[in-house]
Amino acid sequence: MLKKFYSNNYFYFGLFLLGGGLLSSLLCFDLTWDFANYHYFNAWAFINNRVGYDFLVAGINTYFNPLIDIPLYYLVENFNDYPLVIFFVQGLWAGALAFVFYKFLRLFFDVSSRQGRLSVFAAWIIGITSWPFFMQIGSSTNDIQSSLIVMCGFYLLFKELFKAKEKQRLWIFAASGLILGSAMGLKLTAVIYCLSSGLALIICHRFLRHSLKTITVFAVCGLIGFLLFNGFWMLKLWQLYDNPFFPFLNNIFHSDYYINESYRDENYLPLNWWGYFLHPLYMAFVNKVSEGKMLIIDIREGLTYFILVAYFIVWLKNKHKNVNHKRFVLFVFLVVSYAVWLALFCIYRYSIPINLMASVVIIWAFVDFMPKGDNLKIIYISVANIILFSLLSTPYYSDVWSHHNYKSKIKPDIVFSVLIKDDEYKQRFAEYEQKGQYAEIEDINLPDNTLIMMHHIPGASILPVLAHKIKNIRGVLLKGGRIHALTGFNNKKIIPEIKSIISSHQGFKVYLVAMHEESEESKYSIDMIEAKGMKCIPLINNMFPWVLCVPKGTEKQIFKGIKQ
């Protein structure tokens, strides 16, 4: 009875969820830049029917589908005073993904044997300690959530592909397509795995009972899943900006708000053809700095690259002998997914499913390439243990996005360097009593009907935080700044609309400047704003180094911490 209980999927699922929640509460990881910019704001704007009202405040990210951000939004709204509760619930997504990954691994190893069970555990621990997975546990990036949906789709797809043709069920392929399309509908970066799974099915068509029919159904259901979760947002963007994918694919839809090209983040793409070909080795062993200039000690890309080359050489030596059914399918999905990821984004945090699949190949290689001689075997196992240690220690030696600052304030050193009366601000900062909220801003007495004119991003999340106390607050982005938030937008359309919002506003007006340490633009913005008769004061918070600029003479009334 007890043995049956412990082998129950519900027991393991609950155990994985608990583990994910507790680990998230311990780590307190978050990409606070993105949270401060759009994850909190987008859901708030959508729920409160403000889409298009707060103009361009999160830059390009203003126009991302807000649906996937809604769970975190409601967590912050209801548990802002209890950040560990938010982290625990956010960690459940990682726990669920770890469970699905565990079920996925059982498709490739014989768990009835001791070696199979050890292989599952080794592959599982290698997968969850990859930098993209581990560093996003509990964060607001939504890549864990997106990967969870993708891996659910992959699990169904692989499980059915591994069956004999006559036992395959068409509705499973339909369900898999629906799930993968839903992942893309919620977060467009999942297009990597929608495209790669379609291409991989075409390559693996000989394993399908009715290949043309199956692939067609898979693709159609994928489209249905995409429209199910993104169709409403496409309609909204079409109504507002004449482009259902705005600002993407604007070379096709020609919205007047953006230039005639499709927006694309090219910051991490290789610069030439050999850069693409050698990227796994380059990232693993040469340039270990990526994703916002962070140090990433993760050799998985390079290791998997060598392993795949070794398998290819073995296949050639065996005169193109057919490989195992399961192995062929996984190799195809892994290679195609990596190629699509590399071609479209090359942003490491989008590669969670790729790293999870690669962990299976790593364990296969360890067993397959084991030498026969005892002496060689000892050396081989010793080297394998060193490699295993390197893989598992990735989270320890690599940089994290950030630890969430609910226990501390954003240090204002950046803004002190450009503002007068440093000592006064430092004293106010030191005397401020931290509340320990997930999203915290000091109490300020802005009047109702205030327009916040923003210089640089991130800054949008200040609007939902202040909206709890200020009625009719509104935001507009004036200047893009460090990462060119306004680059690509059609100034002939954007600038007149921004000027119209400002000139027609009858209430109070203030400026918000996002300070970037490496940028002179933020400092220049402060000088320019103060020249207009404004007083710029650091805003104590736990999200980003912000400076709030108010009309001179009103600062003592607005900022409670300023001494009278």
Short mmCIF file of all heavy atoms in Angstrom, two decimals, residues 12 20 55 75 85 196 223 261 276 283 285 301 347 392 428 461 469 529 535 543:
data_model
loop_
_atom_site.label_atom_id
_atom_site.label_comp_id
_atom_site.label_asym_id
_atom_site.label_seq_id
_atom_site.Cartn_x
_atom_site.Cartn_y
_atom_site.Cartn_z
N TYR A 12 4.47 12.53 -6.32
CA TYR A 12 5.68 13.15 -6.86
C TYR A 12 5.41 14.57 -7.34
O TYR A 12 6.25 15.46 -7.16
CB TYR A 12 6.24 12.29 -8.01
CG TYR A 12 7.04 11.12 -7.53
CD1 TYR A 12 6.53 9.82 -7.59
CD2 TYR A 12 8.31 11.29 -7.00
CE1 TYR A 12 7.26 8.74 -7.15
CE2 TYR A 12 9.06 10.21 -6.55
CZ TYR A 12 8.52 8.94 -6.63
OH TYR A 12 9.25 7.87 -6.16
N GLY A 20 9.97 23.22 -5.50
CA GLY A 20 10.12 24.44 -6.28
C GLY A 20 9.76 25.68 -5.48
O GLY A 20 10.45 26.71 -5.55
N PHE A 55 1.10 55.88 -22.52
CA PHE A 55 1.66 55.81 -23.87
C PHE A 55 3.12 55.40 -23.87
O PHE A 55 4.00 56.12 -23.38
CB PHE A 55 1.49 57.15 -24.57
CG PHE A 55 1.71 57.09 -26.06
CD1 PHE A 55 0.80 56.42 -26.87
CD2 PHE A 55 2.82 57.66 -26.63
CE1 PHE A 55 1.00 56.35 -28.25
CE2 PHE A 55 3.03 57.60 -28.00
CZ PHE A 55 2.11 56.94 -28.80
N LEU A 75 -0.79 38.17 -7.47
CA LEU A 75 0.00 37.86 -6.28
C LEU A 75 0.52 39.13 -5.62
O LEU A 75 0.45 39.28 -4.39
CB LEU A 75 1.18 36.97 -6.67
CG LEU A 75 0.90 35.48 -6.89
CD1 LEU A 75 2.15 34.78 -7.43
CD2 LEU A 75 0.44 34.82 -5.59
N VAL A 85 5.64 34.74 0.26
CA VAL A 85 4.48 34.03 -0.28
C VAL A 85 4.49 34.12 -1.80
O VAL A 85 4.24 33.13 -2.50
CB VAL A 85 3.18 34.61 0.29
CG1 VAL A 85 1.97 33.98 -0.40
CG2 VAL A 85 3.10 34.39 1.79
N SER A 196 10.52 24.51 -34.52
CA SER A 196 11.43 23.35 -34.50
C SER A 196 10.66 22.03 -34.44
O SER A 196 11.07 21.05 -35.08
CB SER A 196 12.38 23.46 -33.31
OG SER A 196 11.70 23.36 -32.08
N LEU A 223 -1.83 26.40 -34.56
CA LEU A 223 -2.37 27.72 -34.90
C LEU A 223 -3.58 28.05 -34.03
O LEU A 223 -3.72 29.19 -33.56
CB LEU A 223 -2.76 27.75 -36.38
CG LEU A 223 -3.38 29.05 -36.90
CD1 LEU A 223 -2.41 30.22 -36.73
CD2 LEU A 223 -3.80 28.91 -38.36
N GLU A 261 9.81 47.71 -40.93
CA GLU A 261 10.60 46.50 -40.73
C GLU A 261 10.10 45.81 -39.47
O GLU A 261 9.39 46.42 -38.66
CB GLU A 261 12.09 46.82 -40.59
CG GLU A 261 12.45 47.66 -39.39
CD GLU A 261 13.95 47.95 -39.33
OE1 GLU A 261 14.53 48.35 -40.35
OE2 GLU A 261 14.52 47.78 -38.23
N TYR A 276 28.05 31.53 -35.99
CA TYR A 276 26.91 30.63 -35.77
C TYR A 276 27.40 29.19 -35.59
O TYR A 276 26.94 28.47 -34.70
CB TYR A 276 25.95 30.69 -36.96
CG TYR A 276 25.03 31.89 -36.95
CD1 TYR A 276 25.36 33.04 -37.66
CD2 TYR A 276 23.85 31.87 -36.23
CE1 TYR A 276 24.52 34.13 -37.66
CE2 TYR A 276 23.00 32.96 -36.22
CZ TYR A 276 23.33 34.10 -36.94
OH TYR A 276 22.50 35.18 -36.92
N MET A 283 30.65 30.22 -26.53
CA MET A 283 29.96 30.59 -25.30
C MET A 283 30.40 29.74 -24.11
O MET A 283 30.42 30.20 -22.97
CB MET A 283 28.45 30.46 -25.48
CG MET A 283 27.84 31.56 -26.33
SD MET A 283 28.16 33.22 -25.70
CE MET A 283 27.37 33.12 -24.09
N PHE A 285 33.45 28.13 -23.70
CA PHE A 285 34.87 28.11 -23.33
C PHE A 285 35.62 29.42 -23.58
O PHE A 285 36.74 29.57 -23.10
CB PHE A 285 35.58 26.99 -24.09
CG PHE A 285 34.94 25.64 -23.92
CD1 PHE A 285 34.30 25.01 -24.97
CD2 PHE A 285 34.94 25.01 -22.68
CE1 PHE A 285 33.70 23.78 -24.81
CE2 PHE A 285 34.34 23.77 -22.51
CZ PHE A 285 33.72 23.16 -23.57
N GLU A 301 26.55 23.88 -23.62
CA GLU A 301 26.52 24.07 -25.07
C GLU A 301 27.70 23.40 -25.73
O GLU A 301 27.56 22.64 -26.69
CB GLU A 301 26.50 25.56 -25.40
CG GLU A 301 25.13 26.20 -25.41
CD GLU A 301 25.18 27.58 -26.01
OE1 GLU A 301 25.20 27.71 -27.26
OE2 GLU A 301 25.18 28.56 -25.24
N ILE A 347 19.38 34.14 -27.27
CA ILE A 347 19.31 34.62 -25.89
C ILE A 347 19.21 33.41 -24.98
O ILE A 347 18.26 32.63 -25.09
CB ILE A 347 18.11 35.58 -25.71
CG1 ILE A 347 18.31 36.83 -26.59
CG2 ILE A 347 17.94 35.97 -24.24
CD1 ILE A 347 17.14 37.79 -26.56
N LEU A 392 27.04 20.75 -12.48
CA LEU A 392 26.19 20.97 -11.31
C LEU A 392 26.55 22.24 -10.56
O LEU A 392 25.72 22.79 -9.83
CB LEU A 392 26.29 19.77 -10.35
CG LEU A 392 25.90 18.40 -10.92
CD1 LEU A 392 25.85 17.36 -9.81
CD2 LEU A 392 24.55 18.47 -11.63
N ARG A 428 18.17 61.03 4.47
CA ARG A 428 16.77 60.62 4.28
C ARG A 428 16.69 59.14 3.89
O ARG A 428 15.83 58.41 4.37
CB ARG A 428 16.13 61.48 3.18
CG ARG A 428 14.64 61.23 2.97
CD ARG A 428 14.06 62.28 2.02
NE ARG A 428 14.59 62.13 0.69
CZ ARG A 428 14.06 61.34 -0.24
NH1 ARG A 428 13.00 60.61 0.04
NH2 ARG A 428 14.59 61.27 -1.43
N SER A 461 6.39 50.29 -14.04
CA SER A 461 5.76 49.66 -12.88
C SER A 461 5.49 50.63 -11.74
O SER A 461 4.81 50.28 -10.77
CB SER A 461 6.62 48.49 -12.38
OG SER A 461 6.46 47.37 -13.22
N LYS A 469 -2.87 54.78 -4.43
CA LYS A 469 -3.15 55.97 -3.61
C LYS A 469 -3.54 57.19 -4.44
O LYS A 469 -4.09 58.14 -3.90
CB LYS A 469 -1.92 56.30 -2.76
CG LYS A 469 -1.56 55.23 -1.74
CD LYS A 469 -0.38 55.67 -0.90
CE LYS A 469 -0.05 54.63 0.16
NZ LYS A 469 1.12 55.03 1.00
N ILE A 529 16.02 68.65 -17.16
CA ILE A 529 14.76 68.80 -16.43
C ILE A 529 14.87 69.88 -15.37
O ILE A 529 13.95 70.69 -15.19
CB ILE A 529 14.35 67.44 -15.81
CG1 ILE A 529 13.98 66.45 -16.91
CG2 ILE A 529 13.18 67.62 -14.85
CD1 ILE A 529 13.79 65.03 -16.42
N LYS A 535 12.68 70.24 -9.43
CA LYS A 535 13.58 69.77 -8.39
C LYS A 535 13.62 68.25 -8.46
O LYS A 535 12.59 67.58 -8.31
CB LYS A 535 13.08 70.21 -7.01
CG LYS A 535 13.94 69.76 -5.85
CD LYS A 535 15.29 70.45 -5.85
CE LYS A 535 16.08 70.10 -4.59
NZ LYS A 535 17.40 70.73 -4.59
N MET A 543 13.04 48.69 -6.51
CA MET A 543 12.93 48.18 -7.88
C MET A 543 14.01 48.71 -8.81
O MET A 543 14.60 47.93 -9.57
CB MET A 543 11.54 48.50 -8.44
CG MET A 543 10.43 47.67 -7.82
SD MET A 543 8.79 48.02 -8.52
CE MET A 543 8.36 49.48 -7.59
#
